[in-house]
Amino acid sequence: MTHAPWWRGAVTYQIYPRSFLDTNGDGVGDLPGIIDKLDYIASLGVDAIWISPFFKSPMADYGYDIADYCDVDPLFGQLEDFDRLLAKAHGLGIRVMIDQVLSHTSVEHAWFQQSRASRDNARADWYVWADANADGTPPNNWLSIFGGGAWQWEPRRGQYYLHNFLASQPDLNFHNPAVRAAILDCVRFWLERGVDGLRLDAINFCFHDAKLRDNPARPKDQRVGRGFSPDNPYAFQYHWHNNTQPENLDFLAELRALLDRYPGTVALGEISSEDSLATMAEYTQAGRLHMGYSFELLTDDFSAAHIRSTVRQLEAQMREGWPCWAISNHDVERVLSRWGRGKSTPELANLFTALVCSLRGSVCVYQGEELGLTEAQVPFESLKDPYGIAFWPQFKGRDGCRTPMPWSDDEHAGFSRGEPWLPVPTEHRALAVVRQEADPASALQGFRRIVGWRRGQPALRWGDIRFLDTPEPVLAFTRSHAGETLLVAFNLDGKAAETELPLDGQWQPLEGHGLVQGTFVGGHLALPAHGVLFARLA
């Protein structure tokens, strides 16, 4: 694996640009802010950055509603700023991945403005249009993730259009070859500029059932929170027809063929389907996506059984592909609040980092994760997320994980000279980068140690994984590569834990990761509270 593609086993740092660093005082982060902090990112030891959308947009969904795929929104800067960012990142040895939101656009995109105007223009069938039923109701029962029906009436055409997300995010009609060609041209624009990869938002939503068949109802006892809100009616259906259609596989092959013309580039797909693990395995078969990730480890379930079961299921199905794991991102509650169960210590933050960095696959970490940030409590009057506003108070939306990065402990946390677009909580200023840089016991310094140490462990970056059946709260597995086998164990609880492991041989503890280390002697594993064990088979 010394000649493995750069992305296999890589650690990618996700940047939410609105909240990273504001350089012009308007309260919103920008591309020059990312450029300013690339040296900091390089100091983390990560391999790549993934930048959430910075394209031209009315910002109804804060960049995930794109009005021009091939231009930078003035809020974030100019194309020249992106080129400077790319050049500096590459000079520091950092790869650059960008978000591509291909399944839908903004209503302000020129394609939709033309498509909505009439039924006979050149782009009339570039979006998913359908006639009303005889009684004026939408053509089927499909629902939007963001609440309510997935169809919006358009009086100019006298038809409904499909939106799987906000009504201002109409779905493109990927059944039309011209749409697929236009989308690939937009992707090519960024590949030509030198990006190293694409994070593909909601990639299984590109195609819909051409027959517009109703989705079947889900039994009440099987309804689970979909779209991050447990009370969302979206959970009332099996979503068999509005996404994850078989035709999408051919498009993924077209997309992969394009990337293959730019050696070293990579496609990472975000996948949320009725069986996301199966879809990940299917979408990452040869000739399709390089990597996939889903939301299975972005849930509230922090247990050895859940993590073990999730990874085992994927491993059993993913024969060819490569997984990418994330435990935080811009759409879910921060992991220290979600998995921390009320605790937010540097030791726990570093345990989570070590855990996700020890699974087979690549890793995405979200900005602020390295600081051990908790979920911010954003009052209703300060909310910006349309999803949170619609579902308040049962679901408070995604703003709590999107508050600005705390660089210093001043009023606006060194993020902006002006009023930040979201408030910075007091407890985040206490975790500011400037404070943690000076503290060797901080989460930040621990993050650097773990990521740097992992870089020198081929078995953790590329090895096979085999789980051991252990009682809660112990998670244990082996990683094997090129004749080397490592034992990896985590105590997920705040109390010491012991168990027996069916492993023979002599195991030499590995040092250098900076975590609280347990012991494994004579088949007996002993782990301190939130302790770990990394050991090599002698």
Side-chain angles (χ1 to χ4, degrees):
M1 293 294 289
T2 54
H3 302 293
W6 68 265
W7 45 268
R8 277 189 176 254
V11 177
T12 298
Y13 184 83
Q14 182 195 352
I15 296 172
Y16 192 71
R18 293 184 68 89
S19 299
F20 198 60
L21 180 66
D22 168 29
T23 61
N24 61 9
D26 66 356
V28 176
D30 43 47
L31 295 182
I34 299 174
I35 296 170
D36 186 71
K37 293 299 183 181
L38 279 173
D39 290 305
Y40 164 81
I41 294 169
S43 79
L44 299 176
V46 300
D47 301 284
I49 55 175
W50 144 30
I51 310 173
S52 288
F54 51 84
F55 316 107
K56 194 169 183 180
S57 167
M59 302 295 164
D61 193 22
Y62 295 95
Y64 284 88
D65 51 323
I66 294 175
D68 188 339
Y69 284 103
C70 299
D71 201 2
V72 173
D73 194 281
L75 192 67
F76 298 122
Q78 301 176 336
L79 268 173
E80 292 75 12
D81 294 317
F82 180 79
D83 291 338
R84 289 192 302 115
L85 187 162
L86 197 63
K88 182 173 180 180
H90 285 168
L92 291 168
I94 300 171
R95 311 278 184 158
V96 178
M97 300 179 65
I98 61 172
D99 233 317
Q100 292 286 271
V101 188
L102 306 184
S103 71
H104 57 268
T105 71
S106 164
V107 291
E108 295 190 14
H109 198 292
W111 297 346
F112 186 74
Q113 293 292 308
Q114 183 177 359
S115 187
R116 80 191 311 179
S118 69
R119 299 192 186 192
D120 57 2
N121 65 77
R123 292 195 173 95
D125 61 348
W126 278 44
Y127 291 81
V128 184
W129 296 100
D131 292 330
N133 289 322
D135 61 357
T137 56
N140 62 28
N141 70 345
W142 297 353
L143 296 172
S144 161
I145 288 177
F146 288 168
W151 296 94
Q152 180 69 28
W153 181 253
E154 173 47 68
R156 295 166 183 82
R157 288 182 53 133
Q159 286 184 304
Y160 284 98
Y161 66 82
L162 176 67
H163 61 92
N164 276 293
F165 300 92
L166 293 176
S168 57
Q169 293 171 296
D171 278 66
L172 285 160
N173 178 20
F174 273 74
H175 290 282
N176 185 339
V179 170
R180 300 196 299 275
I183 282 293
L184 292 176
D185 281 343
C186 294
V187 171
R188 185 180 294 107
F189 175 87
W190 294 103
L191 293 172
E192 288 288 337
R193 294 194 95 83
V195 301
D196 301 288
L198 316 172
R199 182 267 186 183
L200 301 165
D201 184 72
I203 190 60
N204 58 304
F205 279 79
C206 289
F207 280 83
H208 65 285
D209 173 38
K211 296 180 181 179
L212 301 183
R213 287 172 288 187
D214 280 351
N215 281 326
R218 185 190 299 269
K220 188 172 183 179
D221 62 351
Q222 296 181 28
R223 294 173 187 170
V224 294
R226 301 285 298 188
F228 325 122
S229 174
D231 64 332
N232 193 333
Y234 199 73
F236 288 33
Q237 295 179 355
Y238 289 111
H239 295 276
W240 291 347
H241 300 306
N242 60 304
N243 62 61
T244 322
Q245 299 303 293
E247 296 93 333
N248 205 30
L249 299 177
D250 288 337
F251 172 68
L252 296 182
E254 293 181 67
L255 180 61
R256 176 61 179 267
L258 173 60
L259 266 72
D260 285 347
R261 293 198 284 273
Y262 298 83
T265 58
V266 62
L268 166 63
E270 177 205 36
I271 295 163
S272 177
S273 68
E274 288 297 335
D275 188 345
S276 295
L277 296 177
T279 305
M280 281 177 65
E282 183 178 42
Y283 278 25
T284 56
Q285 288 182 18
R288 297 171 186 166
L289 302 182
H290 300 80
M291 295 187 289
Y293 88 89
S294 65
F295 289 81
E296 268 64 24
L297 297 187
L298 294 168
T299 67
D300 295 339
D301 191 347
F302 180 54
S303 66
H306 174 67
I307 297 168
R308 181 168 54 241
S309 171
T310 296
V311 181
R312 271 180 170 168
Q313 286 182 57
L314 183 63
E315 288 290 317
Q317 300 175 83
M318 186 176 276
R319 301 297 185 183
E320 303 176 24
W322 189 254
C324 185
W325 297 107
I327 56 174
S328 280
N329 69 14
H330 63 289
D331 279 332
V332 298
E333 185 181 11
R334 284 193 175 273
V335 70
L336 254 295
S337 296
R338 201 176 71 251
W339 280 3
R341 298 168 181 166
K343 300 175 182 176
S344 56
T345 64
E347 293 77 17
L348 194 54
N350 292 156
L351 177 79
F352 294 156
T353 297
L355 195 161
V356 72
C357 285
S358 297
L359 300 176
R360 189 184 84 95
S362 300
V363 181
C364 283
V365 297
Y366 180 49
Q367 67 184 45
E369 205 168 326
E370 76 275 19
L371 304 178
L373 297 187
T374 53
E375 184 81 352
Q377 300 303 311
V378 181
F380 180 78
E381 59 271 17
S382 298
L383 286 186
K384 300 295 192 297
D385 180 16
Y387 195 16
I389 293 170
F391 280 88
W392 181 276
Q394 283 78 12
F395 174 64
K396 298 180 180 180
R398 302 165 293 178
D399 289 330
C401 67
R402 297 178 176 183
T403 54
M405 272 283 288
W407 299 103
S408 68
D409 51 9
D410 63 14
E411 182 185 7
H412 297 324
F415 165 73
S416 176
R417 300 189 305 275
E419 188 70 24
W421 77 287
L422 282 173
V424 182
T426 301
E427 62 270 21
H428 283 194
R429 295 201 298 272
L431 297 171
V433 171
V434 68
R435 287 195 180 188
Q436 296 204 34
E437 291 280 15
D439 180 6
S442 67
L444 173 60
Q445 300 291 20
F447 181 93
R448 287 174 172 146
R449 282 191 294 271
I450 293 163
V451 172
W453 177 78
R454 175 184 180 272
R455 187 180 291 273
Q457 304 296 329
L460 290 183
R461 296 177 67 189
W462 305 310
D464 295 334
I465 190 167
R466 182 173 72 90
F467 282 89
L468 304 172
D469 290 320
T470 52
E472 298 290 346
V474 176
L475 178 71
F477 49 88
T478 60
R479 300 292 309 277
S480 300
H481 173 73
E484 177 185 60
T485 297
L486 301 186
L487 170 61
V488 183
F490 296 92
N491 179 2
L492 307 186
D493 194 63
K495 297 179 182 179
E498 299 185 17
T499 189
E500 302 298 316
L501 297 180
L503 295 174
D504 297 324
Q506 297 297 313
W507 296 85
Q508 179 66 39
L510 297 178
E511 306 293 342
H513 45 72
L515 299 163
V516 180
Q517 181 91 307
T519 60
F520 181 56
V521 179
H524 184 76
L525 174 68
L527 296 172
H530 292 139
V532 305
L533 177 72
F534 289 97
R536 179 183 289 114
L537 180 62

